[in-house]
Amino acid sequence: MTLQLHDTLQGKKVPFVPLKEGEVTMYLCGPTVYNFAHIGNARPAVVFDLLARLLRRSYKLTFARNITDVDDKINAASIESGKPIEEITARYIKAYNDDMGALGVSPPDLEPRATHHIGEMIAMIEKLIDKGFAYEAEGHVLFDVSSNESYGSLSKRDLREMIAGSRVEVAPYKKAAHDFVLWKPSTPELPGWDSPWGRGRPGWHIECSAMAEKHLGDTIDIHAGGRDLVFPHHENEMAQSSCAHDGAPFARYWLHNGFLSMDQTKMSKSLGNVLLVHELIKTIPGEVIRLALLGAHYKQPLDWSAETLESARRMLDRLYGAVQGIDVPTDIRAAADVPESLVAALEDDLNSPKAMAEFFALARSLNKATDEDTKVQLAAQMYACGDLMGLLQTDPDSWFAGHVEGNLSSDDIESLIAKRNAAKANRDFATADAIRDQLSEAGVTIQDSRDGTTWRRS
Ligand code: AMP
Ligand code: ZN
């Protein structure tokens, strides 16, 4: 494999060489679970899922995507809704996994949760204090940024300039404005854990350092996330981990995806301009959304519009149209591989638009083919490309029958309607109403008449 990746730390595209031959470790900063994921949040999940699929062709990959389940925003959501924190986090962890599954994102090998790693975080903080990189003050533990020579190298910031330009009011317990929190005290109402510094809770950055260390080792091969995480989150993770590990590099390659925007404005929960995956998948096939997200190179900005989705839908229709009606025997399908040109596009810093162009070139060859054997071979290759890209995962006839409209298939809808009618006949109106609600949630409207029940997608 001749993979090249753009490493944020080196600021350029470089050949990828893992620490251990034949094995790769990858860590992706995952969701903070207090809300549904929007399509901006889905972008890193989808693009790094594609990278994971590519890596698995050549390496034994261990891929961890964490869950941040302790955070001020989660506490605020709990107070606002009056629901216990565990109920909120459990609900949104499930929603996140369901939503990403609908976009064809394979589950990572590991999904560590911050609250299950408090002991590891405390141990790492103690190590940082012992080695002189952190200090305790008024129940807080802070990382002493001035103790780390290379601080700022990931985000290309000069610490002296940062200090000179800083207008932040310095909290009394901090030695310097840019020192960041490793541990902070908790009030009795907020989640907290016993620690050598009193009852408290971790800062955000230490979670990822501790979870990466526990599951992937002191030095990981690839650390990924959205652009907005470069500073402060990844800069701080890098400082903590390399200082705790006597200067060993934390990540050999840092990968960051560009922002997804709408009307040129970054999509973000705080701005409120969000399109939730949870809502979109009720009416739009997950593969359409996935392809729309892969339509731009992952490092580039991606401006989202109705046209983005329409064009992805048309593209998928062309791909499904090419393979429709060709019966590919299982053994031929299993033996087929992706054309070298498509793999080469992905090996060039995950150039998904170029890879899609190669996918279409294959579809055109298939459309032109007249000989039956050639058609079967090319269709088998198309499915191999689909497996790598996370596309063409549905039977073509079902695709065109609208099988994947929303997250319910036509068969699913028919069988739910049959169940509802049976419930009505048994005067079990609660069940009948629940089924109607389930259908309506999935964007399906039903109409009862003397001739039976008809349905349509809204
Ligand atoms: P959060 O749940 O806000 O911590 O975000 C989860 C992931 O989504 C992080 O990797 C963010 O960098 C990424 N992210 C958030 N908003 C966007 C956006 N508009 N475009 C691309 N990535 C984003
Ligand atoms: Zn992180």
Side-chain angles (χ1 to χ4, degrees), residues 27 29 208 233-234 237:
Y27 186 96
C29 294
C208 290
H233 186 51
H234 288 169
E237 279 186 29

Side-chain angles (χ1 to χ4, degrees), residues 413-429:
I413 295 169
E414 298 287 354
S415 99
L416 280 169
I417 289 175
K419 271 194 204 144
R420 176 172 170 270
N421 288 341
K424 270 179 29 184
N426 288 333
R427 306 193 64 74
D428 178 2
F429 297 114

Side-chain angles (χ1 to χ4, degrees), residues 39-40 43 257-268 271 273-275 280 288-289 291-312:
I39 42 168
R43 192 174 190 196
N257 65 270
F259 287 144
L260 185 141
S261 57
M262 232 171 14
D263 300 325
Q264 312 299 328
T265 308
K266 182 194 165 193
M267 183 170 286
S268 99
L271 294 174
N273 62 338
V274 295
L275 283 179
L280 282 177
V288 170
I289 302 170
L291 179 52
L293 287 168
L294 294 175
H297 186 266
Y298 78 92
K299 275 175 58 61
Q300 298 304 318
L302 172 61
D303 201 44
W304 192 266
S305 67
E307 177 47 34
T308 321
L309 283 175
E310 230 357 88
S311 111

Side-chain angles (χ1 to χ4, degrees), residues 178-393:
H178 296 286
D179 291 352
F180 58 88
V181 168
L182 301 173
W183 189 263
K184 56 190 170 188
S186 249
T187 56
E189 318 73 67
L190 292 177
W193 291 264
D194 289 333
S195 82
W197 320 287
R199 185 176 174 277
R201 56 210 160 105
W204 171 31
H205 319 299
I206 195 73
E207 302 176 3
C208 290
S209 286
M211 289 188 275
E213 177 195 63
K214 161 131 193 234
H215 297 285
L216 305 177
D218 291 359
T219 297
I220 58 182
D221 287 309
I222 299 174
H223 195 320
R227 270 233 78 74
D228 53 337
L229 300 186
V230 175
F231 188 86
H233 186 51
H234 288 169
E235 189 74 62
N236 293 354
E237 279 186 29
M238 187 167 97
Q240 296 159 164
S241 294
S242 61
C243 290
H245 301 137
D246 302 321
F250 177 35
R252 290 165 65 78
Y253 303 88
W254 287 90
L255 267 59
H256 293 102
N257 65 270
F259 287 144
L260 185 141
S261 57
M262 232 171 14
D263 300 325
Q264 312 299 328
T265 308
K266 182 194 165 193
M267 183 170 286
S268 99
K269 288 171 199 164
S270 54
L271 294 174
N273 62 338
V274 295
L275 283 179
L276 300 180
V277 175
H278 189 69
E279 291 300 323
L280 282 177
I281 55 173
K282 289 179 184 167
T283 52
I284 298 163
E287 283 192 13
V288 170
I289 302 170
R290 181 179 178 95
L291 179 52
L293 287 168
L294 294 175
H297 186 266
Y298 78 92
K299 275 175 58 61
Q300 298 304 318
L302 172 61
D303 201 44
W304 192 266
S305 67
E307 177 47 34
T308 321
L309 283 175
E310 230 357 88
S311 111
R313 188 191 287 269
R314 281 196 302 270
M315 286 166 119
L316 277 162
D317 283 349
R318 274 161 61 199
L319 295 178
Y320 275 106
V323 288
Q324 192 176 24
I326 304 173
D327 189 18
V328 184
T330 323
D331 55 333
I332 297 188
R333 187 165 168 168
D337 199 5
V338 181
E340 207 28 64
S341 55
L342 193 152
V343 177
L346 292 179
E347 287 183 347
D348 182 11
D349 195 25
L350 207 67
N351 191 337
S352 54
K354 176 94 191 341
M356 285 313 296
E358 298 297 340
F359 207 161
F360 281 110
L362 184 61
R364 279 195 300 278
S365 309
L366 173 54
N367 288 337
K368 278 194 217 137
T370 46
D371 166 71
E372 278 314 306
D373 281 351
T374 312
K375 279 193 190 174
V376 169
Q377 290 297 340
L378 291 174
Q381 280 189 38
M382 291 275 296
Y383 285 117
C385 296
D387 290 343
L388 176 56
M389 301 297 295
L391 303 171
L392 285 196
Q393 300 299 299

